[in-house]
Amino acid sequence: MCGRTACTLAADEVSRASQYRDRGGQRRQPRWKDGDSDKYRPSYNKSPQSLSPVLLSQRHFVKNAPVDECVLAVMRWGLVPAWFKENDPNKMQYSTNNCRSETLLEKKSYKDPLLKGQRCVILADGFYEWRRQEKDKQPFFIYFPQTQGPVHVKTEDQDEGTPCKEDLQTCSSEEGSVDQKEEDKGDHEWRGWRLLTIAGLFDCWTPPSGGDPLYTYTVITMDASPNLQGIHDRMPAILDGEEEVRRWLDFGEVKSLDALKLLQSKNTLTFHPVSSFVNNSRNNSPECLQPVDLQAKEPKPSASSKMMMGWLKSSTHPKRKESDTGEVKQEGHTRETRPEKQLMTAGPLQQWLQGANKKPRTN
């Protein structure tokens, strides 16, 4: 399952971080759909019914646009089928936050969007998952291993599912900074946090009595990869790399059944435990992402954690918009509101997260 994510980049950063290649191999930077950049709010703790950034083909909005031209849009988490007859989408009696990859063609709510080519990519820093324990659940934050340099480049000595092997001990603000001269066509590479790219489906619902259309999405899930099975038996379907993202979104070139072949269980993610502070979706601060020490021993920060530190700590890092309040609760994760585990006390990432700057940044 996938019931909580984080996306802390500002709107302009999301655009730069979601650069893609078209069919001809040209690198492009997606623009936001009209007005949607103002609707988007960064958040350390996004729950179902909140608004999230998604990447999709511009053809879904502009009939004469090239299918391989992508656009960013804000959509609500929890798919509302186009055929839903009630005037209030909240009256849906079943959950559509996630859909199983194995049964996409068996349920009308998902089969219709799939066969219409309504595929999207949900963008996030990472997602949270809870490991069942005897008396409670231990949350983890799960994300792509982070590397220095352009995020789309894979080095030969980087193994799948493990942090990069470069020494990031002295990760500086320059490494995590954004090139302010970056042009719209993506002439400069994004060197910040690598966003997680999650396969999803979307639909457009209009109230039967009339009104504005509502765009919503569902996260496709599948069996967990071997390195995540100790946390949970399910995980979001991850698209790893520009070619997989391109093929998933290009419904003109890649038909639905072929696109489903892209959804494979990949051992490409890394993770760290976080405190039960994240259990309450009302909590929205850097503490949600902060690693905790489950053994109460001196922790050894990973290369990816150091990269996170360099990115967050960057003195040139643009300030954030007012963040998503994340007030929608999710059953099973709202009891604990304060961390029970001892917070890590070593490492620059932890020092930053434990510092005075606790509030989400604003533009």
Side-chain angles (χ1 to χ4, degrees):
M1 64 170 292
C2 177
R4 209 72 67 78
T5 64
C7 190
T8 63
L9 299 188
D12 63 316
E13 297 173 318
V14 173
S15 178
R16 291 198 295 272
S18 355
Q19 291 181 26
Y20 67 96
R21 291 190 186 276
D22 59 20
R23 292 178 186 174
Q26 182 178 358
R27 175 167 293 279
R28 294 176 176 271
Q29 180 176 314
R31 295 180 180 273
W32 283 91
K33 178 175 169 287
D34 291 345
D36 276 21
S37 62
D38 294 329
K39 299 176 185 177
Y40 165 71
R41 292 292 182 273
S43 176
Y44 297 95
N45 197 356
K46 281 187 176 291
S47 57
Q49 308 304 313
S50 64
L51 300 178
S52 297
V54 303
L55 188 68
L56 69 163
S57 170
Q58 175 77 308
R59 176 70 68 86
H60 295 297
F61 302 112
V62 181
K63 292 184 178 180
N64 61 350
V67 178
D68 62 339
E69 179 182 336
C70 292
V71 65
L72 285 166
V74 166
M75 294 189 185
R76 197 177 83 163
W77 187 357
L79 188 141
V80 179
W83 47 261
F84 185 63
K85 301 301 183 183
E86 298 284 350
N87 280 309
D88 183 357
N90 295 319
K91 290 185 178 181
M92 286 191 59
Q93 297 181 354
Y94 55 95
S95 173
T96 55
N97 303 327
N98 296 166
C99 57
R100 299 174 69 91
S101 61
E102 302 89 339
T103 58
L104 284 178
L105 294 172
E106 299 176 10
K107 298 183 178 181
K108 181 177 174 60
S109 297
Y110 310 128
K111 180 180 178 180
D112 288 358
L114 177 66
L115 296 183
K116 292 177 182 177
Q118 292 173 189
R119 309 193 296 256
C120 65
V121 173
I122 299 100
L123 303 170
D125 294 353
F127 68 97
Y128 299 97
E129 192 52 86
W130 281 257
R131 182 177 66 193
R132 293 183 180 276
Q133 299 180 157
E134 292 183 0
K135 295 182 179 180
D136 55 9
K137 298 178 181 180
Q138 172 59 50
F140 289 82
F141 185 60
I142 305 170
Y143 49 100
F144 271 139
Q146 302 297 310
T147 62
Q148 292 176 302
V151 298
H152 70 280
V153 175
K154 288 185 178 180
T155 58
E156 294 182 358
D157 63 347
Q158 184 177 347
D159 297 327
E160 287 191 349
T162 59
C164 63
K165 296 181 180 180
E166 291 90 350
D167 181 8
L168 299 180
Q169 185 69 38
T170 57
C171 183
S172 67
S173 62
E174 182 178 354
E175 292 166 350
S177 66
V178 177
D179 191 337
Q180 299 299 319
K181 297 180 181 180
E182 186 167 8
E183 298 181 4
D184 188 50
K185 291 187 178 180
D187 293 334
H188 295 77
E189 306 295 352
W190 170 253
R191 295 177 181 272
W193 187 260
R194 183 189 179 192
L195 289 177
L196 201 59
T197 42
I198 302 170
L201 298 173
F202 76 92
D203 212 341
C204 179
W205 171 82
T206 302
S209 61
D212 295 332
L214 175 66
Y215 285 89
T216 59
Y217 72 88
T218 183
V219 172
I220 300 175
T221 66
M222 60 195 317
D223 288 338
S225 58
N227 68 324
L228 297 180
Q229 288 176 356
I231 299 176
H232 200 277
D233 61 348
R234 303 288 293 180
M235 67 177 289
I238 302 300
L239 300 167
D240 187 15
E242 292 177 337
E243 181 60 14
E244 289 192 6
V245 169
R246 185 192 72 79
R247 289 179 60 79
W248 178 254
L249 295 181
D250 193 343
F251 64 93
E253 180 180 272
V254 183
K255 302 306 179 185
S256 299
L257 295 181
D258 291 328
L260 292 180
K261 297 175 183 177
L262 295 169
L263 308 181
Q264 303 290 332
S265 180
K266 305 179 184 74
N267 215 42
T268 57
L269 303 183
T270 189
F271 55 88
H272 63 251
V274 295
S275 92
S276 56
F277 181 78
V278 75
N279 289 8
N280 189 332
S281 59
R282 293 179 182 272
N283 293 333
N284 181 18
S285 75
E287 191 172 345
C288 294
L289 300 175
Q290 181 175 347
V292 296
D293 179 12
L294 300 181
Q295 286 77 36
K297 296 179 180 179
E298 189 74 5
K300 182 180 180 181
S302 68
S304 289
S305 291
K306 293 172 186 175
M307 178 63 187
M308 183 194 290
M309 174 278 301
W311 168 240
L312 293 174
K313 232 182 142 180
S314 171
S315 60
T316 58
H317 190 5
K319 294 182 179 180
R320 307 284 183 242
K321 278 187 177 181
E322 181 181 354
S323 67
D324 192 327
T325 57
E327 292 184 353
V328 179
K329 298 181 181 179
Q330 180 167 350
E331 184 177 356
H333 300 320
T334 57
R335 290 184 179 181
E336 303 294 337
T337 59
R338 299 304 305 169
E340 295 177 346
K341 304 293 188 296
Q342 178 179 347
L343 299 179
M344 287 186 174
T345 57
L349 167 65
Q350 296 87 330
Q351 294 174 12
W352 186 90
L353 290 172
Q354 287 179 323
N357 187 13
K358 288 281 188 178
K359 297 181 179 180
R361 302 180 182 184
T362 58
N363 272 341

